[in-house]
Amino acid sequence: MKEVYFKGGFVPFKEAKIGVMTHAFNYGTGVFEGIRGYWNAKKGQMYILKMAEHYERLIKSCNILKINPGKTVDEMCRITIDLVKRNGYKEDIYIRPIAYKSSEVIGLGLTGLKDDILVYLAPFGDYLDISKGIRVCVSTWTRISDNMIPARAKITGVYVNSSLAKAEAKENGYDEAVMLSADGHVAEGSGENIFIVRKNEIITPPLHHDILEGITRSSVIDLLREEMKVGVIERLIDRTELYIADEIFFTGTGAQVSPVIEIDKRKVGTGSVGKITAKVQKLYFDAVKGENPKYSAWLTPAY
Ligand code: PMP
């Protein structure tokens, strides 16, 4: 990484450092986003996926945490395009904006503190095995709920909850974890939303059920409706529905569309990538890589 957007300007990566007393570092009082840039070698273009949607969600997260990002969605998009150009990668990237409580003081709270925003990016390939599928467990860690730390805000501190689940899964030989909400229903993965297929119905937990309001989740719902003519049912999912599902897949900016082939040592369907999952995965990749003009509005060319 050559340059980072930091404290109002572009600086070399090595110079972008925060102080030890920074509020967000001490208390987790930051909000962030993860945005993918897909490099299309044939077209010599970097496509930033759903950039405005990510910054709109960042601003909503800011509002929940009383952070003033000091920039509009348009301004943040312009900064991001500039940053992508300055770094000049010719491979897939991951863009990470963070808005955070930047005051260097001891003491809890959200008001009377300075706020700041930074953006960095890094080369980034596939986060989970999207071709063979992944093996997952149901975590012993419960997903935080709205009145503890709001899950719909992408708050840095929330990711302690996700990291505990992911670490436990990895330590026990799984690729990823499914987290249950405090009421025992399926919430989401440690960093992705979940869909299950049962008897040709596609089901995902509703937005008011302690999940991040995933941008990929909504892209996939659109693709299923538009291209495959199937609606997605949003309802609570029992843990044991995972064990009898025909197909399961995760969606997320990092995870993209990741097939789940095993859960808690039980095969999902036939134990290989499901038909609907494979189809929606192909549709998703064509759209995000700039291969389907119908979805060009999802993409911002950076170069
Ligand atoms: N849930 C959590 C906890 C996440 O961290 C993410 C990744 N941002 C998602 C779901 C998926 O959200 P999106 O599709 O917007 O990346």
Side-chain angles (χ1 to χ4, degrees):
M1 190 186 332
K2 282 191 246 165
E3 286 186 28
V4 175
Y5 181 81
F6 187 65
K7 294 197 195 282
F10 294 99
V11 300
F13 174 59
K14 285 210 167 108
E15 286 173 25
K17 301 270 186 258
I18 59 160
V20 291
M21 282 179 75
T22 304
H23 200 273
F25 175 63
N26 285 253
Y27 304 119
T29 48
V31 297
F32 69 107
E33 274 303 321
I35 311 171
R36 266 193 191 263
Y38 285 97
W39 169 243
N40 185 320
K42 260 194 307 197
K43 298 189 178 162
Q45 189 54 267
M46 179 74 82
Y47 292 113
I48 310 175
L49 178 60
K50 296 218 161 177
M51 178 165 58
E53 285 88 335
H54 280 281
Y55 282 116
E56 279 155 15
R57 186 171 66 185
L58 186 78
I59 284 183
K60 293 200 172 105
S61 295
C62 280
N63 200 40
I64 290 175
L65 233 56
K66 295 182 185 255
I67 292 172
N68 175 5
K71 299 258 180 286
T72 63
V73 167
D74 276 356
E75 286 166 341
M76 289 191 271
C77 287
R78 274 200 295 275
I79 288 167
T80 303
I81 294 170
D82 204 354
L83 184 72
V84 171
K85 283 196 181 124
R86 283 165 178 268
N87 281 279
Y89 284 110
K90 294 194 163 142
E91 58 190 303
D92 292 349
I93 54 169
Y94 191 83
I95 302 159
R96 166 59 47 83
I98 309 180
Y100 62 103
K101 295 282 166 201
S102 59
S103 291
E104 300 200 39
V105 290
I106 296 173
L108 298 176
L110 296 175
T111 48
L113 298 166
K114 282 186 292 180
D115 302 313
D116 215 333
I117 177 165
L118 61 82
V119 192
Y120 66 85
L121 53 80
F124 197 68
D126 292 333
Y127 173 69
L128 295 171
D129 191 330
I130 48 173
S131 51
K132 286 204 305 288
I134 54 170
R135 296 182 160 77
V136 308
C137 60
V138 172
S139 185
T140 65
W141 294 97
T142 301
R143 181 86 188 136
I144 39 94
S145 66
D146 195 54
N147 215 27
M148 298 174 185
I149 310 177
R152 68 162 49 76
K154 205 166 161 59
I155 298 171
T156 57
V158 164
Y159 285 78
V160 172
N161 184 237
S162 305
S163 295
L164 286 166
K166 179 90 180 193
E168 179 191 51
K170 288 289 205 188
E171 282 156 18
N172 289 297
Y174 298 99
D175 300 307
E176 183 50 278
V178 173
M179 302 191 74
L180 304 181
S181 54
D183 68 4
H185 289 100
V186 173
E188 58 181 339
S190 72
E192 47 280 311
N193 295 113
I194 189 167
F195 288 73
I196 71 168
V197 181
R198 282 192 64 190
K199 300 185 212 149
N200 293 322
E201 283 185 337
I202 306 174
I203 310 159
T204 195
L207 289 180
H208 60 273
H209 201 61
D210 299 330
I211 65 171
L212 185 75
E213 300 193 357
I215 290 166
T216 320
R217 177 186 181 278
S218 107
S219 304
V220 161
I221 291 174
D222 288 348
L223 286 174
L224 286 164
R225 190 187 49 237
E226 283 291 310
E227 308 298 327
M228 291 167 67
K229 311 292 174 214
V230 280
V232 172
I233 299 164
E234 297 179 56
R235 67 151 171 85
L236 299 185
I237 298 174
D238 285 339
R239 174 185 188 153
T240 51
E241 289 189 273
L242 298 172
Y243 301 156
I244 60 167
D246 302 319
E247 300 183 29
I248 302 178
F249 60 90
F250 283 139
T251 63
T253 299
Q256 307 174 106
V257 176
S258 295
V260 175
I261 55 167
E262 191 189 284
I263 174 131
D264 282 346
K265 306 278 187 199
R266 293 161 175 91
K267 270 188 195 169
V268 177
T270 58
S272 54
V273 178
K275 278 203 194 99
I276 291 174
T277 307
K279 221 164 160 186
V280 75
Q281 192 187 55
K282 163 93 171 68
L283 288 165
Y284 183 76
F285 282 120
D286 283 352
V288 300
K289 291 182 177 178
E291 307 290 358
N292 184 347
K294 192 168 162 192
Y295 294 96
S296 59
W298 290 9
L299 309 173
T300 308
Y303 297 153

